[in-house]
Amino acid sequence: RIFVLGIGFFTLCFLMTSLGGQFSAKRLGDSPFTIRTEVMGALESRGVLRRMSDMLEMLMKRMDILARLENSTDFHKGDEARFPLDRFQPAAGLMERIQAIAQNVSDIAIKVDQILRNSLLNGKVAEGRRDQCEVPRDPKYPDCAGKVEWMRARWTSDPCYAFFGVDGTECSFLIYLSEVEWFCPPLPWRNRTAALPSPPPLPRVQAAFQSDLAHLLELIGTGKESLSFMKKRIRHLAQQWLRAARRLEQKLKDRQRDQKHILIHIGFLTEESGDVFSPRVLKGGPLGEMVQWADILAALFLLGHSLRVTVSLKELQSHLGVPPGRGNCPLTSPLPFDLIYTDYHGLQQMKQHMGLSFKKYRCRVRVIDTFGTEPAYNHEEYATLRGYRTNWGYWNLQPTQFMTMFPHTPDNSFMGFVSEELNKTERQLIKANKVSSMAVVYGKEASIWKGKEKFLAILNKYMEIHGTVYYETQRPPEVPAFVKNHGLLPQHEFQQLLRKAKLFIGFGFPYEGPAPLEAIANGCVFLQARFNPPHSSLNHEFFRGKPTSREVSSQHPYAEDFIGKPHVWTVDYNNSEEFEAAVKTIMRTQVDPYLPYEYTCEGMLERIHAYIQHQDFCSASSPPLPPKAKSPAMQSPPSPLALSPNATHLVWSPSASRDPHAWPPVDSLQVWVSETHHACTETCRRRGLVCEPTFFRFLNKKEVFLQLSITCDSTEYEMNHLYPAVAENVHECYLQKEPLLFSCAGYNTKYRRLCPCRDYRKGQVALCRDCL
């Protein structure tokens, strides 16, 4: 009896395993074109069901025989028969259950047989359709035939095609190209459920200012020195961030803000890009990028948005929904993020792994770009034709999708970072404890000090010189013996050194880092070298290959142009007398700690909030393309501009309509004509304004030349990043043919450019007065 019960239990387990294996639900990765395989599997299942039914019937018969033998034996034992009879009752119940199961299995076998007959019939029909697929000739899909031809030759080049069901047949090509990609029209015999309109999106969650940074620190993760550095910085500035968030919350007065789902992918920290920064964190390497990323993370989190942070390619692929393979196929599902903040390394990784989805979703990307990308380098075709192509440009993004560390080019958005703010008590202590004869050199790497003995000798005549040069065992020979070198200092100790020092001196490198602003915020005077000629990609190795033609006139142009004396002195280091005179004057000059508002926590929160609320590169309509014909009879809509009262420039006409959703507001627009040797950035800056590239579309009309009393014997549309412009000596006017090339940067002595300028908030150059 035990043996029989064991056999029954084993049979049930085998039955469940067989049915579970044969009729398991279809997996996500299974091909939609495996009809023949599924049918054969079902035929095997029908055989299994029949064998199970036969086994159960045989088991039932044997148990019935055993039951009769047992009853017969127990009948002759009299009263002792009760115990064995009771003991056999469970076996009788089991036999009844097995009999019921056998009947059910028999019924299932009959139903499966009916299903299989229908499946075989449908399979033959589908197989016939697969064999009969022809490439459609639809003018709405002109690339379909070429794409099918490509698939015939290369569909095995990437496993992602098989993942989406491509099996080498014409129909699988067409199904893929119409349902996964969008080069071919949908096949009429396919199930059109997927084509039904998607349900309306759920109401957006409103963003609420956050007050607990602990969750952000968890999101950042561990495992890299660079991540530890960023987390330490966030902790150190936590109270300043929280106070700034409360002030901005009061300023916005409960204004409605949609919560955004944001992916932050720090590409330069991935192993695939080399991650050269993490090993250098403890050795004095450049930290500016990590300072900026730490501040971006803090600002986005405090503004109340939902964040995901990645520093590995594997995590990036998982968050995006990248199919298995080599990156030629689109994502497996719609992108779950409203915005993606990354860098050039991350941008390249996304392009390699998102297939056609990259082109579809690139409008959601924001690229953290230290030195900026000018439109001439960003436009792939133009950069290739005109010699502007580099390893970092040609992405065809909207130029304002690139976000810089300093506001050096209005063609890009100014992201920035923050410096530590001082309270009133700290400011008073700094002024009281300043040592007028103490200087700190800007440069943690020994190579920066090489060849600077002459300047150091002059400075040593008047001041005690301190350095923070990294070394392991021996003092770097580039650092003179009279310099007191503290080695690499933790951030808070470096801050204390700056609070005592009178002078913070730069030797020309690194360019545009955060340290000079930190020094000025701690009451130091920053002394830097003037470059003559200015450094650029044409004459300096550091800038060669970067997607900008910007001419850098000093080590820190922002400090020179936006702060200036008495906090910033820019002198010719090749002139010893000028250098020495500047040092003497600085020692006598009293300065207070100073920090521009745009580099405070509140300033950065305000700026990022405005960008997220108003910058929309996905739904924003492009400016209308110019007419192909150049006939004088063709008339464009009337200009919304009017001559200013003093007749020097154009402003928005009071009678012209205004789009209430336009950003920046058009009321802030002023149109000025540049000198032949000035870019629009310089033209606007000389008038206390800033160039605004989004306003170029209002200037790109022939009527604007007439309003400015510019004579045009001819007007041509061409692709040139300096247009709209006029060549006055020949009275030739030029309008821009490609909106992506509207550029505040660039000049040519042949042209005077039409420049769109706007006002800006005090201490916040990125925003106009009414932009918040």
Side-chain angles (χ1 to χ4, degrees):
R1 286 195 297 271
I2 293 174
F3 172 75
V4 171
L5 291 173
I7 288 293
F9 178 74
F10 171 77
T11 302
L12 288 172
C13 292
F14 181 70
L15 175 64
M16 296 295 291
T17 303
S18 299
L19 292 176
Q22 296 296 329
F23 296 106
S24 60
K26 190 174 181 179
R27 297 183 303 276
L28 175 63
D30 289 346
S31 167
F33 310 110
T34 53
I35 298 175
R36 185 184 301 276
T37 304
E38 293 183 7
V39 170
M40 293 305 296
L43 288 172
E44 294 171 2
S45 299
R46 181 171 58 181
V48 170
L49 286 170
R50 287 180 176 174
R51 289 196 295 275
M52 291 299 98
S53 180
D54 294 341
M55 290 176 64
L56 288 168
E57 289 182 11
M58 186 180 297
L59 181 63
M60 185 180 64
K61 290 178 181 178
R62 291 180 178 178
M63 291 191 69
D64 185 58
I65 293 172
L66 286 172
R68 287 200 297 271
L69 289 173
E70 189 75 24
N71 287 338
S72 175
T73 303
D74 291 340
F75 178 76
H76 295 287
K77 291 184 179 179
D79 294 336
E80 295 177 3
R82 294 177 185 173
F83 175 72
L85 193 60
D86 293 340
R87 190 175 60 181
F88 188 73
Q89 286 177 356
L94 178 61
M95 186 174 69
E96 292 176 359
R97 292 190 183 95
I98 292 174
Q99 186 175 8
I101 292 172
Q103 184 61 45
N104 289 336
V105 170
S106 179
D107 294 340
I108 292 172
I110 294 171
K111 292 179 181 178
V112 168
D113 186 67
Q114 293 173 350
I115 293 171
L116 288 177
R117 292 178 186 276
N118 293 333
S119 297
L120 286 170
L121 180 60
N122 293 335
K124 290 178 180 179
V125 172
E127 190 69 26
R129 286 177 177 163
R130 285 157 51 92
D131 295 337
Q132 295 172 6
C133 280
E134 295 182 0
V135 179
R137 306 294 178 183
D138 191 332
K140 296 179 181 179
Y141 299 89
D143 298 323
C144 182
K147 290 293 181 179
V148 171
E149 188 67 29
W150 188 96
M151 292 290 288
R152 288 194 194 108
R154 298 180 179 87
W155 75 273
T156 58
S157 64
D158 193 324
C160 71
Y161 297 116
F163 173 83
F164 281 111
V166 177
D167 60 5
T169 61
E170 292 290 293
C171 284
S172 69
F173 298 153
L174 290 172
I175 291 172
Y176 174 84
L177 291 171
S178 62
E179 297 180 10
V180 180
E181 297 184 3
W182 44 87
F183 292 105
C184 295
L187 298 176
W189 51 269
R190 287 285 292 173
N191 185 350
R192 302 305 299 276
T193 304
L196 294 176
S198 56
L202 297 174
R204 297 301 298 250
V205 176
Q206 292 301 300
F209 282 90
Q210 300 296 307
S211 58
D212 183 8
L213 286 166
H215 180 55
L216 173 62
L217 300 178
E218 293 178 8
L219 288 174
I220 293 174
T222 59
K224 291 178 179 286
E225 289 293 339
S226 49
L227 297 179
S228 299
F229 172 87
M230 288 190 278
K231 291 166 74 171
K232 287 179 182 177
R233 177 174 174 83
I234 292 171
R235 289 192 195 97
H236 179 68
L237 296 174
Q239 292 306 312
Q240 292 192 27
W241 278 116
L242 294 173
R243 287 194 295 270
R246 287 193 292 268
R247 289 194 297 268
L248 181 59
E249 185 176 16
Q250 294 171 358
K251 187 184 297 184
L252 295 178
K253 298 178 180 178
D254 299 323
R255 195 174 303 172
Q256 294 293 302
R257 300 182 300 117
D258 288 343
Q259 185 187 61
K260 304 292 185 182
H261 295 277
I262 301 175
L263 175 67
I264 297 103
H265 176 62
I266 310 176
F268 74 88
L269 293 183
T270 62
E271 298 299 329
E272 289 76 12
S273 67
D275 188 13
V276 297
F277 284 86
S278 291
R280 300 173 69 185
V281 169
L282 302 178
K283 298 183 179 181
L287 303 178
E289 287 84 355
M290 282 174 278
V291 165
Q292 187 179 33
W293 275 108
D295 296 344
I296 291 170
L297 286 164
L300 291 173
F301 180 81
L302 289 170
L303 287 170
H305 299 293
S306 174
L307 308 184
R308 291 289 181 272
V309 183
T310 68
V311 291
S312 79
L313 181 58
K314 186 176 180 181
E315 289 178 334
L316 173 68
Q317 293 173 318
S318 174
H319 285 306
L320 294 178
V322 175
R326 298 186 178 93
N328 290 306
C329 298
L331 302 180
T332 57
S333 58
L335 186 69
F337 300 103
D338 302 300
L339 293 171
I340 299 176
Y341 287 81
T342 188
D343 51 29
Y344 262 121
H345 294 283
L347 194 65
Q348 185 65 43
Q349 291 168 350
M350 290 168 59
K351 184 178 180 181
Q352 289 176 348
H353 294 278
M354 289 177 67
L356 285 177
S357 294
F358 178 78
K359 185 175 181 180
K360 179 179 181 181
Y361 294 119
R362 65 184 175 183
C363 59
R364 303 188 190 183
V365 175
R366 307 292 183 265
V367 185
I368 307 305
D369 177 14
T370 302
F371 295 99
T373 298
E374 293 176 0
Y377 294 83
N378 172 61
H379 192 282
E380 183 175 14
E381 179 186 357
Y382 185 77
T384 304
L385 292 174
R386 300 295 185 92
Y388 290 103
R389 185 162 181 135
T390 69
N391 291 333
W392 300 105
Y394 65 84
W395 287 95
N396 288 331
L397 300 177
Q398 292 291 333
T400 40
Q401 288 180 254
F402 297 98
M403 300 185 137
T404 59
M405 183 170 281
F406 291 94
H408 41 59
T409 172
D411 294 314
N412 304 147
S413 297
F414 163 46
M415 172 58 76
F417 59 94
V418 304
S419 288
E420 188 170 357
E421 301 171 65
L422 304 177
N423 58 39
K424 186 176 181 180
T425 302
E426 290 171 329
R427 293 167 68 90
Q428 292 174 345
L429 285 173
I430 287 175
K431 291 182 67 175
N433 296 325
K434 277 290 176 184
V435 180
S436 61
S437 59
M438 178 178 172
V440 176
V441 174
Y442 180 20
K444 295 176 290 185
E445 294 183 337
S447 60
I448 297 174
W449 295 64
K450 189 174 182 179
K452 306 300 188 299
E453 296 83 4
K454 182 179 178 181
F455 313 131
L456 290 169
I458 296 174
L459 185 63
N460 188 49
K461 290 166 47 178
Y462 302 96
M463 306 184 99
E464 181 183 73
I465 305 174
H466 294 251
T468 58
V469 182
Y470 169 80
Y471 66 95
E472 293 183 354
T473 55
Q474 295 182 344
R475 181 186 177 94
E478 296 87 350
V479 181
F482 55 76
V483 174
K484 184 176 181 180
N485 184 31
H486 300 263
L488 194 64
L489 293 177
Q491 184 65 19
H492 69 280
E493 293 184 25
F494 181 63
Q495 293 277 354
Q496 293 302 317
L497 191 66
L498 292 177
R499 293 184 178 188
K500 291 178 62 179
K502 176 73 173 184
L503 177 66
F504 189 62
I505 180 171
F507 284 149
F509 189 84
Y511 297 100
E512 299 179 309
L517 262 67
E518 294 176 349
I520 296 167
N522 282 285
C524 292
V525 174
F526 178 51
L527 177 62
Q528 63 171 345
R530 180 185 299 114
F531 300 146
N532 188 19
H535 292 183
S536 70
S537 58
L538 298 177
N539 62 11
H540 205 273
E541 187 62 32
F542 179 83
F543 291 101
R544 192 162 290 127
K546 289 182 169 57
T548 175
S549 298
R550 187 164 60 98
E551 296 179 332
V552 178
S553 59
S554 63
Q555 181 176 353
H556 207 291
Y558 175 86
E560 178 186 7
D561 295 335
F562 287 85
I563 301 177
K565 292 182 179 180
H567 303 280
V568 180
W569 289 64
T570 306
V571 302
D572 182 4
Y573 278 23
N574 293 319
N575 186 329
S576 299
E577 293 180 358
E578 183 182 355
F579 178 82
E580 188 169 0
V583 172
K584 292 179 180 178
T585 306
I586 289 170
M587 292 179 68
R588 297 192 302 267
T589 304
Q590 296 295 320
V591 297
D592 293 327
Y594 173 71
L595 180 62
Y597 175 76
E598 55 201 355
Y599 284 97
T600 65
C601 292
E602 185 177 354
M604 187 169 185
L605 284 169
E606 181 181 274
R607 191 164 58 248
I608 294 181
H609 155 73
Y611 289 154
I612 292 176
Q613 289 298 109
H614 298 291
Q615 285 186 336
D616 184 355
F617 304 111
C618 298
S619 61
S621 58
S622 299
L625 293 175
K628 293 182 179 179
K630 310 299 188 301
S631 170
M634 297 194 68
Q635 298 294 325
S636 58
S639 170
L641 306 173
L643 201 61
S644 64
N646 59 5
T648 58
H649 61 283
L650 300 181
V651 296
W652 194 264
S653 173
S655 61
S657 61
R658 292 166 172 77
D659 181 358
H661 302 291
W663 195 84
V666 292
D667 301 82
S668 63
L669 169 62
Q670 297 183 27
V671 182
W672 291 83
V673 183
S674 77
E675 299 299 327
T676 54
H677 55 285
H678 285 168
C680 284
T681 50
E682 179 68 12
T683 299
C684 296
R685 189 178 70 83
R686 285 171 173 257
R687 290 160 177 83
L689 304 169
V690 63
C691 182
E692 178 52 63
T694 59
F695 288 155
F696 267 112
R697 65 185 188 272
F698 301 120
L699 283 59
N700 201 42
K701 300 177 181 180
K702 184 176 180 179
E703 291 78 6
V704 176
F705 291 110
L706 300 176
Q707 288 179 290
L708 290 166
S709 300
I710 295 174
T711 303
C712 298
D713 291 344
S714 66
T715 305
E716 299 289 336
Y717 283 98
E718 292 186 12
M719 213 164 55
N720 190 311
H721 70 288
L722 301 179
Y723 296 164
V726 56
E728 283 193 320
N729 58 331
V730 291
H731 303 295
E732 293 177 350
C733 297
Y734 300 92
L735 297 175
Q736 182 59 258
K737 185 179 179 181
E738 171 51 67
L740 280 180
L741 286 174
F742 283 137
S743 175
C744 293
Y747 69 90
N748 187 304
T749 54
K750 177 183 176 181
Y751 303 117
R752 296 185 68 191
R753 302 187 56 192
L754 302 190
C755 298
C757 307
R758 64 161 169 84
D759 56 35
Y760 58 90
R761 297 168 67 86
K762 184 179 180 181
Q764 186 72 287
V765 70
L767 304 179
C768 68
R769 291 171 187 164
D770 297 324
C771 277
L772 189 60

